[in-house]
Amino acid sequence: MPLLRQVEFAFRIVAGIADPGRLGALQDAGVTAPGYNDAEQNLDLETTARELLRSLGAARIASELRVEWNSRLKTAAGRADYREKLISLNPQLVDHPTEIDRTLRHELAHILAQFRAGRRRISPHGAEWRQACFDLGIADEKRCHNLPFPVRTYTARFIYRCPNCLQEFPRVRRMRRAVACLACCRKHNGGGFDPRFRLQPLSSS
Ligand SMILES: [Zn+2]
Ligand SMILES: [Zn+2]
């Protein structure tokens, strides 16, 4: 019986203002139209997470791992589902770019800890998880689910969606250029921009 682990933790209040220059680097895996060539824009959270798993001896599950933005997450910053090998991130993190990497590693620690434990049951934020946090470079990570977080303080944002794979792409600002889903462009068009996978606005809440 495989264990289903769905773990959530609340937003932490972040001290300081996020560096707006890093926004493009971490937030999504979009492919921009030809002529707009910003390498940072294409940095891929999923690739980062898979490389971390490989470097920590979890190569067997690394290629299965997926990272998604999920606007249905309301108060949790992220969620890890070991059975599905899926990390979900709250699009509201886009307003706090320094927290994206931290949240990714927090959730990845759940995946790594359960991988190492095999079929053994472990507690969500127990010793195995803390060891995984240490190995992922966030040794000081705390379980923070008790902090109430005023979600309404977040600014308006824009969420786009790939019409093919339905992956969501949160943005702080409205997109001014044609951007397509990187995963689908890689899969079906050799990584080049393909208008069939152009991201569509989902909401502007
Ligand atoms: Zn957690
Ligand atoms: Zn797609």
Side-chain angles (χ1 to χ4, degrees):
M1 185 70 178
L3 294 176
L4 173 63
R5 290 240 176 259
Q6 287 207 328
V7 185
E8 300 188 356
F9 73 103
F11 279 108
R12 280 151 304 191
I13 294 168
V14 188
I17 304 297
D19 173 10
R22 294 190 60 215
L23 277 177
L26 289 169
Q27 68 179 339
D28 63 35
V31 175
T32 49
Y36 182 56
N37 193 15
D38 182 348
E40 272 199 336
Q41 199 82 22
N42 293 344
L43 256 180
D44 191 340
L45 289 172
E46 199 167 82
T47 302
T48 303
R50 289 176 175 187
E51 283 169 1
L52 284 167
L53 282 182
R54 286 194 191 96
S55 73
L56 291 168
R60 188 163 63 74
I61 58 166
S63 56
E64 287 177 58
L65 185 81
R66 287 175 300 129
V67 178
E68 67 164 17
W69 294 100
N70 190 331
S71 58
R72 289 177 298 282
L73 289 179
K74 297 303 178 193
T75 58
R79 188 172 64 193
D81 183 329
Y82 184 74
R83 190 174 63 178
E84 298 293 329
K85 306 291 185 295
L86 176 65
I87 291 175
S88 304
L89 301 174
N90 191 320
Q92 293 179 91
L93 285 171
V94 169
D95 296 342
H96 299 270
T98 54
E99 286 298 281
I100 297 174
D101 187 62
R102 165 72 67 153
T103 304
L104 181 69
R105 285 168 195 261
H106 176 117
E107 302 306 334
L108 200 53
H110 287 299
I111 302 280
L112 181 61
Q114 189 59 60
F115 170 78
R116 289 169 167 174
R119 290 171 170 272
R120 188 164 53 87
R121 236 174 231 283
I122 57 174
S123 77
H125 298 97
E128 298 86 353
W129 176 79
R130 285 196 302 276
Q131 178 63 48
C133 283
F134 179 84
D135 295 338
L136 285 160
I138 51 168
D140 60 337
E141 182 69 358
K142 300 278 192 294
R143 177 188 179 182
C144 305
H145 62 101
N146 289 329
L147 268 184
F149 198 91
V151 172
R152 65 185 173 278
T153 62
Y154 281 98
T155 56
R157 66 202 179 281
F158 301 91
I159 298 173
Y160 294 80
R161 188 161 65 184
C162 169
N164 190 50
C165 69
L166 305 184
Q167 165 76 335
E168 292 176 0
F169 296 76
R171 292 279 178 146
V172 173
R173 294 176 205 84
R174 191 184 299 281
M175 285 184 179
R176 302 275 176 213
R177 303 165 198 269
V179 177
C181 171
L182 176 60
C184 290
C185 289
R186 276 180 178 160
K187 201 169 177 180
H188 305 291
N189 196 38
F193 177 84
D194 188 324
R196 288 179 298 165
F197 312 127
R198 182 169 175 177
L199 305 185
Q200 308 293 328
L202 180 66
S203 75
S204 57
S205 60

